[in-house]
Every structure is written in C-alpha cells, then in structure tokens.
Amino acid sequence: MSDDVLDAPAAVVREAFRNGTLTPVDVLRRTLERIETRDPAVNAMAYVDADGAATAAEAAARRWAEGSPLGPLDGLPVTIKDSVQAVGMPWRHGCAAFADLPDSTFDAPPAARLKEAGAVILGKTTMPDFGMMAAGVSSLYGITRNPWDTSRSTGGSSSGAGAALASGIGFSSVGTDIAGSVRLPAGHCGLVALKPTQGRVPHTAPSTMRSAGPMGRTVDDVMDMFDVLSGGDVRDLWSLEPPAAPTAREPLAPHGLRIGILGELGAGFGADHAVQSVLADAAAALRDGGADVSAMAPIFRDDPYPALDRLFQVRAAAELESIDEGLRGLVHPAIREWCEPGARRTATDFTRDGEAVARSAELVRSATAAFDYVISPIIPTVGFAAEDVGLDPSHPLSHCGFTAWANQTAQPAAALCFGVVDGMPVGIQIIGPRFADTDVLRLAKWLEAARPVTLVWPEPAAVHLGGRR
C-alpha cells in the first residue's frame, strides 16, 4: 500500500516536521511497518536497529519541536551498507564466514556524519561477499531482489540499498563503490546515485579506488546526503575539504555545454539496443536543451578489463586468506573460485597490472576531457536474473566496464534512471571532471526534469520465490 508520507519527497516530510503535522517518530513508525511488509519480498535489510532508530527519532522530534533541527537529514530514516562500520551494529561484509564477528565499536566517517546530522539510521543493507560481485547474491544474506520485478537482480554491491530505496524504505542510503557499486544498483532499481570524486566523501580504510557514495530516489535527496557526507576527515588521508563557497543546487542547464555520448567502450560487454535507445533519448534531451552533443569513438582498442580484474582478484584473495581456513568454505563459491588465481600473483605481476590499469585510466581521462560532461550506459543490458552473479559467472564484475573506469580516474559519476523498458528501469551515467561533483548532480537534476517517463515506485509483493530470500 502506498503511503503519502514515505513515498513523498524528503522536502515534503521536512515541511511537515517544521509545521508540526508530522514528527520523526511518526515517520519511523511507518517505516518500520513498511520494512515488515515489504522487506520479505526483496531481502534488503541485513540488520534493523529499531531501538537505536527510536532513540534518534525521539531526539530529532525534540529538535524540530524546539525549532532547532540540525539540517536537512534531521529525523529522516536512512540506511547504511553492511560494509560501513557503525557502533553496536554488525559488520559482515556480506559473507557467512564473518557471521560471528563482534559488533562494531566505532563509526566509520559516513555513519558518524549521518549521526551528527540527526539522521535516523534504520540499520544496514545487504551486499554480496567482500563487495566483489555486481549482483545481489550473498553467502550470508541469500538473494536480494529487485522491487520492480522480484525475479530480477538489484545489481551490486550496494544491493540492499537499491532494493530498500526502490521499496520506499528510507529516503536515502550510503553505499560504497569500487567498480560501480552505487551506480549499478541505481541503474537496476530506478534510483539516483553518486560515485564522488575520490576523497570527497571520507571513508575507512582510505582508498584511491573505493568511495562511499549517496543513493536516493531523487537528485535532491542525493544532494542532501552528499552535503552531509562530504568534507575532510583525519582518518582518511585522501579526504578533501569541502569547497570554500556554498555550492549551487539549481539544475545545470545544458545550453552551450559540450556533451560526449559514450555508447561503446570498444571492448567487453557492449550495450544492447534497449539501453542504447534510452541513452539516445538522453542525448536528444540534452541537444534540445542547447548542448553541443557529440558521439564519442570507442575508447579502447584492446580489452583493458583483464588487468583490472586481476587487481580485484588479488584484493579478494587477500580477504579470503584473512579468514580462518576452516571457515573459507562459507564464502560464496563464485567468489572463491574467481579470486583463487589472485593468491598466485606475484608482486611484479600486481605492479605490472597496476601500470596497465593506469594506462587505461589515462585513455579514459583523456577521452572524457574533450567534453564538459559525458553520458554513457550504466549496465550493458536491461538487468538479469536475481540468482545470477553477473553476466559472466566466472568473472562477477566483468559487466562493469561503463562504471569501473571512473573509479580509476577518480572522476565523479552519477546514475539516473532515464527510461523504462518492459517494466524495468534503465539508467544513464553522467561523468564529469574531478571535483565537479555538485555540477554533475546539477546536470542530473536537469535531466531528471527532462526524463520522458514518470516513475511510479513499485510495491513488491511479500512472497518468497524459492531458496533463501
């Protein structure tokens, strides 16, 4: 059943907090009820912290009653990914081998920022083992399903965040992204997401490849969370201080902008006709808005993915070897089998692959630098089955070509639904120059208003389709 509160834009709920017709306690109650009715169908929630959320909601209600809210997220229900450490909550990294680890004793920067902003953290969302799968399949949590069609995948690795938001659970969510892991679920589930410039959103452990990033149903909601999450943090040596001047929030009109359309990479999975058609619709909207729109030539002559895949294999193999040998069999077999060669890579192999990836990243940076912004597909197909680990079962991240390279170039990249094909949302990616995170979101906001379809959020039926949820 739809809910005029939970399905409203966050700005509407904030106004109700302001005029006293609604309190954060009311919204939390409705949200917990929605989790009970909708989560069984999609399996989005890894952990629900009802007591902690109630304490946060009560404190937020007092602040709103006193006219002193902490900011735009104060009192709003949000979620965080399993991989984000938060005091008193479990950290399982999607893996059954970690099921008995003690609860976290510290807040990672994204969790700390949300608490400082008064957000009501409902709990944690599901993810695949080690975050090394662009699908909603986990040895610990089972299958996370797409609310638009529960036989279809959410993508990953922020799979539960995608399923929760598209189910109307929470107004925004923190995911993490190493090869597309906030953008891919956004593409599968009809959402908005931002993989920020590396360092713009601090996280632990520091990484030049992985970023925490905001996800939501609207660009405005993602902007609100991005403003809260971004800024320097001494625990992340790559973190960046926020811009000195206030950032603009109005849509970025494309008139006069040079926009590149990257429809093909030249290697790996190519985008199918339905995805290309949605991309063409976005290009036409930008052209009608006065942009100078040009088709880009494929970037790669030779396939750059194998070297990047081997870097990921080594990363996963290191995590596998950190697990007690007697528990390694609990790791999802697709991950174990895929990363096993990584344990045999030498230091010189790893360095050589790193150099190859850097050369490929420079090709991407150089190609995109010829334009103010570039739009591309997110996923090369209109999704796949919920049980699948990806388009290539032996290489679970191999279909992430359109998203993975923005992690290597450190460029901001947003995801936005721009079409619906056979009842399933299809997203586009908007890539900008480093540090232009806000402008990338502003262009996404313009495109959101120009979108040729109106999204009507699904109401997933509370049924299980066999196997673990």
Side-chain angles (χ1 to χ4, degrees):
M1 181 180 297
S2 63
D3 183 309
D4 59 356
V5 171
L6 301 187
D7 298 326
V12 173
V13 178
R14 276 194 295 272
E15 182 57 31
F17 289 166
R18 187 172 291 109
N19 63 33
T21 58
L22 197 65
T23 74
V25 174
D26 299 328
V27 175
L28 173 62
R29 175 183 53 78
R30 294 186 189 205
T31 304
L32 293 174
E33 290 172 355
R34 178 165 280 189
I35 290 172
E36 289 184 3
T37 59
R38 293 192 177 183
D39 190 55
V42 295
N43 189 29
M45 298 302 297
Y47 174 78
V48 177
D49 183 17
D51 291 341
T55 299
E58 290 162 3
R62 290 191 294 270
R63 289 190 292 271
W64 279 103
E66 295 165 357
S68 56
L70 297 174
L73 296 190
D74 201 352
L76 289 179
V78 301
T79 58
I80 58 177
K81 189 177 180 179
D82 173 20
S83 59
V84 177
Q85 300 274 7
V87 171
M89 296 190 197
W91 179 97
R92 302 289 181 260
H93 220 204
C95 184
F98 297 135
D100 294 327
L101 290 179
D103 290 347
S104 299
T105 57
F106 69 95
D107 290 328
R113 293 283 168 84
L114 291 175
K115 291 179 180 180
E116 292 163 4
V120 176
I121 301 177
L122 297 166
K124 291 194 158 190
T125 54
T126 58
M127 63 180 288
D129 296 54
F130 304 171
M132 287 282 103
M133 193 186 296
V137 180
S138 161
S139 64
L140 178 60
Y141 302 122
I143 298 167
T144 298
R145 299 181 178 277
N146 195 319
W148 293 87
D149 178 346
T150 52
S151 73
R152 307 292 290 275
S153 179
T154 57
S157 63
S158 303
S159 47
L165 288 167
S167 298
I169 297 171
F171 289 89
S172 53
S173 186
V174 176
T176 60
D177 189 313
I178 197 171
S181 290
V182 299
R183 291 160 287 161
L184 293 160
H188 282 271
C189 297
L191 304 168
V192 181
L194 176 70
K195 193 290 294 177
T197 298
Q198 260 69 11
R200 184 60 76 199
V201 173
H203 195 28
T204 51
S207 173
T208 57
M209 189 187 309
R210 186 205 67 237
S211 291
M215 302 171 65
R217 288 186 292 275
T218 69
V219 176
D220 276 334
D221 289 349
V222 168
M223 283 179 161
D224 287 340
M225 179 171 268
F226 175 68
D227 288 346
V228 166
L229 296 178
S230 57
D233 190 297
V234 294
R235 293 174 292 173
D236 184 346
L237 75 164
W238 302 114
S239 64
L240 304 168
E241 291 300 325
T247 54
R249 295 287 297 263
E250 69 276 5
L252 178 61
H255 183 78
L257 294 178
R258 297 166 301 153
I259 307 288
I261 309 300
L262 181 61
E264 295 292 345
L265 293 172
F269 286 99
D272 65 22
H273 175 74
V275 173
Q276 293 282 13
S277 179
V278 172
L279 185 67
D281 288 344
L286 290 164
R287 191 176 290 111
D288 290 345
D292 178 6
V293 178
S294 304
M296 295 176 63
I299 293 175
F300 300 117
R301 183 179 61 183
D302 301 315
D303 191 356
Y305 181 73
L308 181 59
D309 191 56
R310 289 191 293 268
L311 295 186
F312 290 146
Q313 285 178 336
V314 171
R315 181 187 181 97
E319 185 161 359
L320 180 66
E321 290 183 355
S322 73
I323 298 169
D324 183 273
E325 193 167 358
L327 297 176
R328 291 178 193 171
L330 296 176
V331 178
H332 195 285
I335 296 299
R336 280 190 284 114
E337 293 164 13
W338 161 71
C339 78
E340 188 270 337
R344 300 193 298 272
R345 306 294 295 173
T346 67
T348 51
D349 292 333
F350 187 78
T351 299
R352 198 159 29 243
D353 283 334
E355 291 171 347
V357 167
R359 289 192 295 272
S360 297
E362 174 55 21
L363 290 176
V364 175
R365 187 210 62 78
S366 177
T368 58
F371 303 91
D372 296 311
Y373 300 92
V374 167
I375 64 169
S376 81
I378 300 170
I379 312 153
T381 69
V382 186
F384 47 84
E387 296 82 1
D388 291 350
V389 301
L391 296 180
D392 178 353
S394 63
H395 293 84
L397 298 173
S398 62
H399 64 278
C400 304
F402 285 106
T403 55
W405 293 103
N407 297 78
Q408 301 303 319
T409 61
Q411 293 171 260
L416 173 74
C417 176
F418 205 78
V420 175
V421 175
D422 295 332
M424 297 301 295
V426 177
I428 59 169
Q429 178 176 225
I430 303 129
I431 305 168
R434 288 182 70 204
F435 314 120
D437 303 71
T438 299
D439 284 343
V440 166
L441 287 173
R442 291 176 61 214
L443 183 57
K445 191 171 181 177
W446 187 92
L447 283 161
E448 183 181 47
R451 183 164 51 197
V453 296
T454 299
L455 295 185
V456 178
W457 294 101
E459 298 180 30
V463 296
H464 296 174
L465 301 182
R468 294 191 65 187
R469 291 191 297 168

